[in-house]
Amino acid sequence: MQNRAIVAIIVFLSLAAAAIVKASFDPRPGVSDVPGEFSANRALKHLEQIARAPHPVGSDENHRVRDYILEQLRSMDIEQRVMRAASLRTVIPRVHFAGNVENIIATIPGQKPDTYLFIGHYDSVATGPGASDDGASVSSFLEVIRVLTLEKKKPVNTLVFLFSDGEEAGLLGAQAFVNDALATANVRAVFDFEARGSSGESILFQTGPGSAGLTRNYLKNAMHPFGNSLGAAVYNLLPNDTDFSVFKRRKFRGLDFAFIGDVQNYHTRLDSPANLDLRTLQHHGSNILSLASYYSSHDYAETAEDALTFFSLPGGTVHYGLWTGRMFAIVVLALAVFLFFQFHRGVRSLAWGLFAGLAWIVFAALAGFICWFVLRKILQQSDSVLGQPYNHQYYERLFLCIGFAVLFAGRAMFRHINVEWAGILLLCGLLCLAEFTFAGTGFIFLWPLLAALLSFWVRQKGVRSPGFLVALILVLPAIFLGTDLISGIFQGLSTRSGMLASSVIVFYGLSVIWLIDWFLDNSGPFVFSVFLSGIVLSIAAVAVTRQAGPRLNSLAYGFEAESARAFWFRCAANSDSFTSPFFSKAMEVAGIPAFPVLKRCLSGEMFQLGVAPKAKLQAPELRISLERAAGSVLERTVHITSPRKATSLVVSIKHSENLKGIRMLGQELPLDFAQAEGKQGLSFLRGYLNLDEWHTIVFSGLDARGIELQLTSVPGSKIEILITDRSRVIEGDRALAVPRRPDNMIPQPEFPFSDGVYLSRRFEL
């Protein structure tokens, strides 16, 4: 008995080690300084210049970064030009992003006009210097171009590097490029490079239509490929957008890459060169160089395939076509049906098993959520961007231990319920849903299901020691792919979705319940002690490190020209020692006077207003430059400027039946709720916006020329317009008596008005 316990402990530790090896598998190469290879150290020198300070579109810092990139390209004798354009996108119905952008286009001419386009944006948000997002890609481009120019031979195909502007303001630079038919005429494929963190692998996370061939070429020819087709499918359901999204909607083939580790640095002051992992920069740049080198001398054979199943394992990647995956699925499902009718007995026991299995999975999620909720309430710790705790790694370990504890404890209490086939049938159902509905995602269920069926069959044969060993080996696919799924939950959806990870553990555990039984029979006390100790230690680590990073807060200044009313505003939940003195006589409101389209903060809270001093600043101006009758309507052209030289402007136009048209930059803006260019996932914003009452235009990169709108209305009717200009300097503003933040606080990027000065003025035409 003692020997069996020792064997069980060894097996348990071995499987745990396999999971740890898979979770810690790192395909990133070491940093290289070889002249003919990509070097993160050389790219870092560019990055230190690019990410010295925040450089949003239209700012002086943005112009400095533009000039630096152009200077580096000239020093390498690279053909380059600046595309200056005004761009417009309707992101969601009645909400439009527009602006002036300055794209930098660097070209390495080939023997043929066939062009492969590489994209990275050089602007940043106003709340961070953008070292990772997207300075890492821009600096990598400069280093890759250096390496490519070492080869004096003219490439076969043309390579174009687009340093886009205005990505953070609504993908404006990419939109301007796509709108230029001449610029895109010969583009065969598009490769976009992004970041949503400061570390981790450079992941292939999104593909364009008909891009299976591009994906296959990348997986075969890149030195360190990484990614899986599940991530690409999940990303399509999320509201996030990149420059690649603009090209994807225009049916360009292409691939989109990003690294997403340490998301707590995203869009904040922490997104600095010092916080960027050099191995991540090396991996990112190596991916770019691999693709550029390959397509400089190889043609892309077009394919009608839209989807390719692919995933990474230690030692390489696995990939196969859509129909190959579906044939695999059909064979495995047929095997499941055969084994079910061959060995399973009793519909009633199966029904009880399914009910118990589903309840078990739900309970694991509920246990994870309760633990998360209670800890957050007790500790009152500050979060980073996207609700991610700075000590997220300890929360993640807690969710894992909770999942395993629920799995083992539940099985110990309900040994009499047959749940093995419940787990197998759940895998069958999800495999059908994934493989035949979300192309490329079935692998996450296919291979664990096959392993569960084969291990079941081996055990039914009754060959004890060899059969047990084979069945044990067949558990590894569930461990490897389950680890991938859990890692994707933590990194892609953030740690606050960790309750899903607890459920995943129980879900996969049901299909190998025989192994759970074996551990309980032979080493139950040891297993329970491991997971209970893990829960206790994780909670202790969370408590000790609860103040591991700077606190996020929001503060903005607003001024209404007509009423001469000045006010501070923030989200109501953001109370802290820095902002609270500005809200001693605060009131909570459902919207901000300067932004009537907003109902509440995107985090769900009400806005809070405080009394502010009146600043001596000049409000935006509007003049009618043209007015004429055209049949049964009145057409007016209005010119809007910011006397104080603000870099962005928000125009809110009250909707009414008398308003017949809004035209800007040569485009007619839809007045109804027609399909917008943003992803469907952005529809959640409708709950936060007064879309029924207002049309909103957000214009970035504003210059002295201002903007022009053409308005069409019923003669004799009134059009109400609210114009708000905004500048991004408030911290340390002496005129407004705003001090510098303490070192343990930074502006909140999720609050789009952080550190802004907003002057509004109403007009009635």
Side-chain angles (χ1 to χ4, degrees):
M1 187 69 178
Q2 186 177 2
N3 289 338
R4 293 184 67 180
I6 293 174
V7 170
I9 292 172
I10 292 173
V11 170
F12 176 84
L13 294 176
S14 299
L15 293 177
I20 292 171
V21 167
K22 179 62 178 77
S24 57
F25 167 62
D26 190 347
R28 296 177 299 172
V31 176
S32 170
D33 284 319
V34 177
E37 297 178 359
F38 180 89
S39 168
N41 285 323
R42 285 191 289 266
L44 181 63
K45 293 179 180 178
H46 293 304
L47 185 60
E48 288 171 344
Q49 294 300 315
I50 292 166
R52 286 194 331 208
H55 44 282
V57 57
S59 66
D60 291 341
E61 272 296 308
N62 180 269
H63 298 154
R64 183 193 64 79
V65 172
R66 174 204 61 200
D67 292 343
Y68 176 82
I69 295 170
L70 290 170
E71 178 187 345
Q72 296 304 309
L73 293 173
R74 291 190 196 102
S75 70
M76 293 183 282
D77 198 24
I78 293 295
E79 180 183 322
Q80 34 76 30
R81 68 184 178 93
V82 176
M83 172 192 278
R84 293 181 172 87
S87 183
L88 171 68
R89 291 182 69 242
T90 299
V91 180
I92 59 176
R94 296 185 178 176
V95 177
H96 318 277
F97 287 123
N100 296 315
V101 295
E102 296 183 311
N103 292 332
I104 300 171
I105 302 172
T107 303
I108 301 178
Q111 300 169 35
K112 299 195 304 183
D114 292 352
T115 298
Y116 293 86
L117 178 66
F118 294 77
I119 311 171
H121 67 90
Y122 73 88
D123 65 306
S124 77
V125 293
T127 51
S132 299
D133 181 21
D134 196 23
S137 301
V138 171
S139 60
S140 293
F141 282 3
L142 294 174
E143 169 63 4
V144 165
I145 291 171
R146 182 198 67 81
V147 175
L148 293 174
T149 55
L150 295 177
E151 177 63 59
K152 301 302 181 182
K153 182 180 177 182
K154 193 173 187 179
V156 175
N157 298 310
T158 298
L159 303 179
V160 172
F161 292 84
L162 171 61
F163 301 81
S164 68
D165 193 13
E167 193 270 353
E168 301 291 1
L171 318 183
L172 299 179
Q175 187 69 51
F177 189 88
V178 164
N179 289 344
D180 188 332
L182 187 62
T184 60
N186 297 311
V187 173
R188 298 289 306 281
V190 176
F191 305 103
D192 182 56
F193 296 87
E194 264 287 359
R196 203 197 68 168
S198 298
S199 67
E201 304 85 358
S202 181
I203 305 168
L204 171 57
F205 73 95
Q206 183 181 192
T207 60
S211 297
L214 287 174
T215 306
R216 190 178 284 109
N217 287 345
Y218 162 70
L219 296 173
K220 286 182 178 179
N221 296 292
M223 293 180 62
H224 308 281
F226 193 80
N228 64 62
S229 47
L230 175 66
V234 171
Y235 180 81
N236 289 333
L237 303 175
L238 299 176
N240 309 72
D241 260 329
T242 68
D243 275 342
F244 183 72
S245 303
V246 176
F247 290 86
K248 187 175 181 178
R249 290 187 195 102
R250 298 289 183 94
K251 306 302 181 184
F252 282 87
R253 292 177 172 87
L255 307 177
D256 206 358
F257 299 83
F259 50 92
I260 58 175
D262 286 327
V263 70
Q264 66 271 14
N265 298 333
Y266 178 61
H267 280 185
T268 72
R269 290 179 183 172
L270 302 178
D271 187 11
S272 64
N275 286 331
L276 176 61
D277 189 326
L278 270 186
R279 288 192 64 191
T280 294
L281 184 59
Q282 183 71 38
H283 192 207
H284 208 48
S286 296
N287 270 340
I288 299 169
L289 181 59
S290 294
L291 289 165
S293 298
Y294 180 81
Y295 286 108
S296 68
S297 57
H298 293 79
D299 288 322
Y300 168 55
E302 294 185 6
T303 173
E305 285 184 287
D306 274 339
L308 185 74
T309 296
F310 63 97
F311 52 93
S312 299
L313 292 172
T317 57
V318 177
H319 58 89
Y320 47 84
L322 175 64
W323 288 106
T324 302
R326 289 180 175 174
M327 289 303 299
F328 280 151
I330 291 170
V331 170
V332 172
L333 290 170
L335 177 62
V337 171
F338 171 77
L339 292 176
F340 178 79
F341 285 106
Q342 190 79 3
F343 295 105
H344 187 74
R345 296 293 183 269
V347 175
R348 185 176 179 183
S349 64
L350 177 62
W352 272 110
L354 280 171
F355 175 78
L358 290 171
W360 212 335
I361 292 169
V362 171
F363 182 79
L366 187 61
F369 172 77
I370 290 173
C371 198
W372 164 270
F373 181 80
V374 170
L375 278 175
R376 311 295 289 164
K377 284 294 183 183
I378 293 175
L379 297 177
Q380 293 291 308
Q381 72 179 102
S382 58
D383 286 338
S384 65
V385 67
L386 302 177
Q388 176 87 328
Y390 288 104
N391 55 352
H392 59 91
Q393 65 271 29
Y394 301 119
Y395 277 103
E396 290 165 7
R397 293 168 193 173
L398 176 60
F399 282 125
L400 295 178
C401 290
I402 288 173
F404 281 111
V406 169
L407 175 63
F408 278 87
R411 188 55 178 167
M413 290 187 290
F414 301 105
R415 290 290 288 270
H416 61 285
I417 299 178
N418 183 6
V419 294
E420 182 171 22
W421 269 102
I424 290 174
L425 290 181
L426 286 172
L427 277 172
C428 288
L430 288 173
L431 173 59
C432 289
L433 178 66
E435 193 62 57
F436 297 99
T437 305
F438 302 102
T441 64
F443 74 92
I444 205 74
F445 308 115
L446 172 65
W447 301 110
L449 173 59
L450 178 60
L453 292 171
L454 292 177
S455 67
F456 176 83
W457 181 78
V458 166
R459 287 181 291 110
Q460 296 304 313
K461 289 298 181 180
V463 183
R464 297 190 61 81
S465 295
F468 178 80
L469 182 59
V470 171
L472 200 59
I473 292 173
L474 289 171
V475 171
L476 292 178
I479 292 177
F480 285 166
L481 294 178
T483 301
D484 273 350
L485 184 55
I486 290 170
S487 176
I489 289 170
F490 286 143
Q491 289 199 3
L493 302 179
S494 85
T495 302
R496 58 184 173 184
S497 301
M499 66 198 75
L500 298 177
S502 302
S503 290
V504 167
I505 289 169
V506 174
F507 170 73
Y508 280 114
L510 292 177
S511 63
V512 291
I513 205 68
W514 61 271
L515 184 59
I516 308 302
D517 290 341
W518 186 76
F519 280 130
L520 288 172
D521 290 338
N522 296 288
S523 60
F526 171 77
V527 170
F528 278 116
S529 66
V530 168
F531 294 127
L532 291 176
S533 298
I535 290 173
V536 172
L537 291 174
S538 297
I539 291 175
V542 165
V544 169
T545 60
R546 64 184 182 276
Q547 301 299 336
R551 183 184 180 91
L552 302 178
N553 56 31
S554 59
L555 178 65
Y557 175 85
F559 181 79
E560 293 179 297
E562 316 80 59
S563 62
R565 178 191 177 199
F567 53 92
W568 304 107
F569 61 100
R570 66 177 179 182
C571 288
N574 291 156
S575 179
D576 58 75
S577 59
F578 174 73
T579 60
S580 290
F582 299 95
F583 297 90
S584 56
K585 296 180 180 179
M587 61 178 178
E588 292 189 9
V589 295
I592 306 172
F595 300 98
V597 72
L598 285 172
K599 294 180 183 177
R600 59 184 187 273
C601 293
L602 296 183
S603 52
E605 304 119 1
M606 302 281 276
F607 291 104
Q608 197 171 58
L609 301 186
V611 178
K614 296 178 183 179
K616 294 181 180 179
L617 297 171
Q618 195 171 351
E621 296 179 348
L622 178 150
R623 64 179 177 84
I624 300 174
S625 57
L626 178 65
E627 184 174 50
R628 67 179 182 180
S632 60
V633 296
L634 180 66
E635 295 180 349
R636 282 175 286 198
T637 298
V638 298
H639 187 233
I640 301 169
T641 57
S642 171
R644 67 188 186 99
K645 298 180 180 179
T647 56
S648 59
L649 197 69
V650 179
V651 180
S652 303
I653 304 172
K654 189 76 174 283
H655 180 76
S656 74
E657 294 182 356
N658 295 319
L659 180 64
K660 299 303 181 181
I662 305 173
R663 191 172 180 81
M664 182 180 186
L665 300 178
Q667 297 184 45
E668 195 73 32
L669 306 186
L671 298 184
D672 57 10
F673 288 94
Q675 178 60 45
E677 293 176 318
K679 291 175 71 174
Q680 287 296 306
L682 287 170
S683 59
F684 80 95
L685 289 172
R686 294 189 181 188
Y688 300 87
L689 304 174
N690 288 314
L691 297 179
D692 292 329
E693 298 182 35
W694 295 91
H695 300 272
T696 302
I697 301 167
V698 181
F699 194 96
S700 302
L702 186 69
D703 57 27
R705 295 172 297 173
I707 64 173
E708 276 195 349
L709 297 175
Q710 289 79 41
L711 304 175
T712 305
S713 61
V714 175
S717 62
K718 298 295 185 182
I719 299 177
E720 183 180 346
I721 302 178
L722 177 66
I723 301 172
T724 304
D725 67 8
R726 58 181 181 179
S727 55
R728 288 293 192 178
V729 180
I730 188 170
E731 187 177 347
D733 191 314
R734 293 182 180 179
L736 297 175
V738 180
R740 293 283 179 185
R741 277 181 175 83
D743 291 339
N744 64 338
M745 295 182 186
I746 57 177
Q748 180 178 353
E750 289 175 293
F751 182 64
F753 311 106
S754 284
D755 283 35
V757 176
Y758 301 86
L759 271 65
S760 65
R761 188 173 181 180
R762 289 181 186 273
F763 297 87
E764 197 173 74
L765 304 182

